[in-house]
Amino acid sequence: MTKVCVIGHPVTHSKSPRIHNYWIKKYGLDGNYDAVDIPCENLREGVAELVAKGYRGFNVTIPHKEAVLSLCDELDEGAQQIGAVNTVVIDGGKLRGRNTDAFGFIQNIRQEAPKFSFAAGSAVVLGAGGAAKAVVHGLLEHGTPEVFVLNRTKEKALILAKSSLAPDKVVIANWDERSKVLEGASLLVNTTALGMEGKDTLDIDLALLPRDALVTDIVYTPLYTPLLVDAKKRGHKTVTGIGMLLHQARPAFQAWFGVMPEVTPELEKMVTA
Ligand SMILES: NC(=O)c1ccc[n+]([C@@H]2O[C@H](COP(=O)([O-])OP(=O)(O)OC[C@H]3O[C@@H](n4cnc5c(N)ncnc54)[C@H](OP(=O)(O)O)[C@@H]3O)[C@@H](O)[C@H]2O)c1
């Protein structure tokens, strides 16, 4: 049996076991995906235990995405650039780290807004945390000519720009200017925690955003954040964040089980139920 898991602390909130076990069943595979809670101070020992127990690999969630990087024997280009690992494949005791968040972000938009062109215009990304790094990486990889990044803590946005794939294409603006920079943009992405259940709402005026711009929020609890509700009312095409979560899981599943799984409405319904 192929054993895989997600590691984090805490880890009970993770939707990954539901996604992967659904695919294991759907594709008739002999496998199991569980959730393993590893406190930060035990990360090295916890990971070594997974190797010793014969795990094929694992996903990594908060707070270990950055710390796992230094435990890996090999990193793909995305993980190196983004500075975080969300997927590990264990090959003959060696840990191969990858980051599939950028893939998840891009594929979600491709599936939900197939006519959207990443290269056609500029993007505005709100936030400069771990997820923002992956989003900016994905956009630059897919030809977005200019990416505006705005973060409450400006220093983090400056660091993100400097370490990105194409620093000359990343423009940093002040957080207070978030409504103004929307003029002429093709895409608006919220990667901050604002709008999430239990958090403050993102305060932004979409008046200057061209009507044909796409609006996406990577927060998926609730599925339709206040930003997406507002954007929809103004006639924008909107894409929810759940698809990013589902699509980022696909390359990991393929690496462990040799099958590239599909994201279907049935899977989305099961995960959001
Ligand atoms: N759909 C998916 O697959 C997916 C994947 C990853 C993450 N997410 C979601 O994306 C969100 C961010 O995740 P992350 O991993 O990037 O977290 P993170 O590294 O902790 O970053 C959090 C971001 O939110 C900003 N923020 C938090 N509170 C704020 C406030 N009151 N006002 C303005 N900005 C605020 C932070 O700004 P400062 O730097 O100023 O603190 C930072 O930019 C979470 O809600 C997470 O659930 C979704």
Side-chain angles (χ1 to χ4, degrees):
M1 180 198 276
T2 303
K3 288 188 293 184
V4 276
C5 65
V6 54
I7 65 165
H9 184 66
V11 78
T12 42
H13 67 281
S14 174
K15 291 187 187 294
S16 292
R18 271 206 235 176
I19 300 170
H20 287 276
N21 284 320
Y22 168 90
W23 282 331
I24 287 170
K25 197 168 165 209
K26 177 173 174 177
Y27 295 103
L29 301 165
D30 183 21
N32 186 56
Y33 188 110
D34 55 357
V36 178
D37 193 314
I38 305 180
C40 292
E41 60 277 18
N42 292 347
L43 184 62
R44 183 176 287 275
E45 296 75 21
V47 167
E49 205 176 316
L50 297 178
V51 176
K53 284 182 173 167
Y55 274 76
R56 176 75 180 108
F58 53 92
N59 281 130
V60 188
T61 189
I62 291 167
H64 301 319
K65 282 188 174 187
E66 277 148 25
V68 160
L69 198 116
S70 61
L71 301 180
C72 289
D73 298 288
E74 203 180 88
L75 293 170
D76 76 351
E77 199 231 315
Q80 277 178 45
Q81 189 79 53
I82 296 161
V85 163
N86 75 340
T87 300
V88 172
V89 178
I90 304 172
D91 258 338
K94 297 254 182 265
L95 304 185
R96 306 197 194 289
R98 306 169 62 162
N99 192 306
T100 66
D101 281 336
F103 174 89
F105 171 72
I106 297 293
Q107 291 306 312
N108 182 33
I109 293 183
R110 284 208 166 140
Q111 183 158 322
E112 299 302 318
K115 290 189 189 139
F116 179 78
S117 162
F118 290 100
S122 65
V124 174
V125 175
L126 303 176
K133 285 187 202 162
V135 165
V136 171
H137 183 79
L139 291 173
L140 294 173
E141 238 185 356
H142 286 80
T144 304
E146 199 171 30
V147 182
F148 291 84
V149 178
L150 293 82
N151 194 47
R152 178 180 60 176
T153 313
K154 194 174 178 181
E155 294 70 34
K156 276 171 69 181
L158 290 166
I159 293 168
L160 182 154
K162 215 171 155 189
S163 62
S164 74
L165 202 56
D168 55 317
K169 291 184 179 158
V170 182
V171 181
I172 305 304
N174 290 326
W175 180 242
D176 295 352
E177 290 170 319
R178 59 194 178 279
S179 301
K180 278 193 215 149
V181 293
L182 300 178
E183 196 166 6
S186 293
L187 173 68
L188 168 62
V189 189
N190 176 47
T191 76
T192 73
L194 294 170
M196 207 172 156
E197 272 163 17
K199 302 263 181 192
D200 289 342
T201 300
L202 170 64
D203 179 18
I204 191 165
D205 181 353
L206 301 181
L208 292 179
L209 188 68
R211 295 277 174 183
D212 58 354
L214 179 70
V215 179
T216 183
D217 199 326
I218 72 160
V219 167
Y220 55 83
T221 48
L223 201 52
Y224 288 93
T225 60
L227 169 67
L228 294 185
V229 171
D230 187 19
K232 223 179 166 102
K233 264 192 220 151
R234 295 188 75 248
H236 292 282
K237 169 83 184 153
T238 58
V239 176
T240 71
I242 192 69
M244 176 175 171
L245 177 78
L246 302 176
H247 282 280
Q248 62 77 30
R250 294 172 59 219
F253 191 87
Q254 183 185 35
W256 301 322
F257 293 101
V259 176
M260 187 58 149
E262 266 183 76
V263 168
T264 57
E266 188 190 56
L267 172 64
E268 181 176 329
K269 207 169 148 197
M270 190 272 299
V271 170
T272 52

